[in-house]
Amino acid sequence: SLNRYKEIEFEEVEHRDPLEIIAELEKLDDEIRAGLAELKEMLK
């Protein structure tokens, strides 16, 4: 089988810092909460 002798190449993947991702999620969560609060006020 040709695949047995085929050289396998791995690409190095660069990952972001988990704390950076969490901070971004918290920021998005704050924006969503602010938008929902504004929407609630419009519906009153």
Side-chain angles (χ1 to χ4, degrees):
S1 169
L2 180 61
N3 287 334
R4 182 183 306 171
Y5 303 106
K6 185 176 178 184
E7 184 177 335
I8 299 173
E9 296 180 20
F10 293 99
E11 292 184 26
E12 188 172 329
V13 178
E14 195 171 311
H15 297 282
R16 291 172 45 195
D17 181 31
L19 291 177
E20 179 184 321
I21 295 170
I22 291 171
E24 188 175 328
L25 289 172
E26 288 175 334
K27 179 183 173 194
L28 289 171
D29 190 45
D30 290 342
E31 291 175 10
I32 290 169
R33 288 180 192 277
L36 285 174
E38 185 178 331
L39 184 58
K40 280 183 183 178
E41 286 299 317
M42 294 168 101
L43 295 173
K44 286 185 179 181

